[in-house]
Amino acid sequence: MEDVNKLEYYVPSSIPPEVLAYASTLDQLGVGKAGKLGGLILKLEKDEVSGKTAVKQQYSRVPLYTQRALYLEEALPSMAYMYIISPSGGILQGDRYRMDITLRREAMAHLTTQGATRIYRMEKNFATQIVNITVEQGCYLEYIPDQIIPYRNSRFYQIANLHVHDNATLVYSEMVTPGRVAGGEHFDYDICYMKTVAKNQKERLRYYDVAILEPKKRNMGAFGVLEKLDVFGTVYVLTETEKVLELYEEISREIRRVGGFSGGASILPDNNGIIIRLLGSTASEVRSVIFEVVRSVRKVVLNAPFSGIRKG
C-alpha cells in the first residue's frame, strides 16, 4: 500500500513538458508543506443488511474531504449521494491533490463537488490533481463535479485514471470555464491540461483522451477551436458493450432536444462507451446538457429517473 504521508503519493508519475515548463521554487509554502497536499480515499460497497451503498473506508487530508452519504432518490434508494468539499476555497500554486474512489459489490453512487473548483492565480510553479476511479463488476458511478474556473495566470494539470469493469458503468464529466468573467478575466490563464486514461479490469485500454488549453499561445476564439463559445465540457460514458448503441441513440436524441449548445456524441472505439463533447456560452448551459446525459444513462442502464443534483 502506498504511503499517504509521502509527497510522491500526491505527485503524478509523469507531468507533461507543457506543464513542467512552469516549474519553479516557491518563496512561500513549498510543494509538500502543510496544507499543500490534499488527499481523499473513498471505498463504497453495498451493505448486505440495509441494501444501501455505504462507506467502507474513508481517508481525508484537508483540503479534501467528503460529507456523509445521503440517499436522495426515491427510485434508487440504495444509491449514495456524496459531496467532495474543500474548505480552502480553491487550488493554489504548488498544491498537489489526489483522490482515490473505489466502488465494489454492486455499489451505486453519485459524486459531485460542493461548488466550482477554482484554480487561483500563480506567480510560480503549478498545481496538479490525480483522480483515480475504480468501478468493479456490477457497480454504477456518476462522477459529476462542478466546473473548473482557471484564474488569471494559473497553471493546472489533471490526470484521471479510470478502471471500469466491462460489466459496470461510469459516467464521468469535466467542464472548464474561461475564468472569472465577471471580474474581467477571459481566457487569461496559462494552461489547463486535462488527461484521461480508461482501462478495464484486465488493464486493456478503453480510451485515452487529452485536452490542452493554452489561451495565451492559441486564440481560443479561432475557427475550429471554441469560436464564439466559452465553456468546454466532456462526458465519458463507459458501460456494457451491448448497451452502447441504444445509449448512444438515446443520448443523441435527448441532447438535440435540449439545444442551445454545440457538440455531439460519438461511440468510442470497439464499442467501449460514448464520448460527448460540449461547447456552450455559460456553465449552467453546459451543465444542463450533462444532466440530460445522466438522465439518459439512468434510463437505459438502470431503468430509473434522475431528479437532478441538490445543492444549497
Side-chain angles (χ1 to χ4, degrees):
M1 183 176 179
E2 296 178 86
D3 189 346
V4 298
N5 294 312
K6 290 187 176 181
L7 172 62
E8 292 77 13
Y9 177 83
Y10 301 90
V11 178
S13 58
S14 178
I15 299 176
E18 294 92 338
V19 179
L20 282 176
Y22 297 99
S24 59
T25 303
L26 296 172
D27 296 328
Q28 297 82 30
L29 287 175
V31 176
K33 299 297 182 180
K36 303 300 291 180
L37 303 178
L40 176 65
I41 298 175
L42 190 62
K43 293 186 178 180
L44 305 175
E45 297 180 6
K46 183 178 180 180
D47 186 84
E48 294 181 358
V49 177
S50 67
K52 294 183 177 180
T53 296
V55 178
K56 296 300 181 181
Q57 180 182 350
Q58 183 173 349
Y59 166 83
S60 295
R61 181 170 184 151
V62 174
L64 283 178
Y65 70 99
T66 60
Q67 291 181 321
R68 64 184 180 87
L70 303 174
Y71 304 93
L72 305 175
E73 292 283 6
E74 292 184 5
L76 295 170
S78 66
M79 175 174 278
Y81 272 69
M82 298 193 72
Y83 297 80
I84 300 170
I85 298 171
S86 176
S88 68
I91 297 177
L92 306 175
Q93 60 187 17
D95 283 0
R96 304 290 185 263
Y97 286 11
R98 173 170 168 171
M99 294 186 284
D100 290 71
I101 301 163
T102 303
L103 270 68
R104 303 176 59 206
R105 299 179 183 175
E106 299 182 335
M108 299 175 61
H110 178 106
L111 268 64
T112 185
T113 51
Q114 183 186 37
T117 299
R118 294 169 174 81
I119 316 297
Y120 283 104
R121 180 172 180 166
M122 300 177 185
E123 297 177 354
K124 294 185 177 181
N125 211 267
F126 52 86
T128 66
Q129 178 165 267
I130 303 170
V131 181
N132 296 322
I133 294 178
T134 300
V135 187
E136 296 189 2
Q137 183 173 6
C139 295
Y140 179 96
L141 172 63
E142 296 165 354
Y143 181 82
I144 315 292
D146 278 359
Q147 67 271 26
I148 293 171
I149 305 177
Y151 286 17
R152 178 177 288 126
N153 299 337
S154 63
R155 305 94 178 241
F156 181 62
Y157 171 60
Q158 176 174 284
I159 168 67
N161 300 301
L162 313 178
H163 284 83
V164 184
H165 195 284
D166 290 332
N167 295 318
T169 297
L170 169 66
V171 185
Y172 177 94
S173 72
E174 299 171 345
M175 178 168 40
V176 182
T177 72
R180 294 180 295 179
V181 177
E185 296 181 8
H186 192 261
F187 293 116
D188 287 336
Y189 57 89
D190 291 330
I191 186 170
C192 184
Y193 193 123
M194 313 289 286
K195 178 179 178 180
T196 311
V197 181
K199 298 180 180 180
N200 73 351
Q201 71 279 8
K202 297 179 180 179
E203 293 296 313
R204 178 179 63 82
L205 184 67
R206 300 187 70 166
Y207 76 86
Y208 179 104
D209 194 28
V210 173
I212 307 174
L213 306 177
E214 295 181 283
K216 293 180 181 178
K217 295 182 179 180
R218 185 176 187 183
N219 180 11
M220 304 303 289
F223 177 77
V225 188
L226 300 187
E227 299 185 24
K228 296 181 180 180
L229 300 174
D230 285 341
V231 182
F232 172 76
T234 304
V235 188
Y236 310 95
V237 181
L238 300 175
T239 191
E240 299 171 63
T241 301
E242 58 268 24
K243 295 178 180 177
V244 168
L245 181 58
E246 179 187 358
L247 187 54
Y248 166 75
E249 293 174 347
E250 177 71 22
I251 290 173
S252 298
R253 179 170 55 251
E254 290 304 307
I255 63 176
R256 280 198 302 268
R257 181 182 58 80
V258 175
F261 71 99
S262 292
S266 300
I267 295 177
L268 292 167
D270 298 324
N271 273 356
N272 269 302
I274 301 165
I275 180 173
I276 303 98
R277 296 285 198 205
L278 304 169
L279 296 177
S281 299
T282 64
S284 60
E285 188 175 271
V286 173
R287 186 183 299 110
S288 67
V289 184
I290 292 174
F291 284 1
E292 286 304 321
V293 173
V294 174
R295 191 167 284 111
S296 296
V297 176
R298 286 208 189 177
K299 178 181 178 181
V300 173
V301 177
L302 301 178
N303 191 28
F306 172 57
S307 57
I309 301 176
R310 299 165 177 84
K311 295 187 181 181

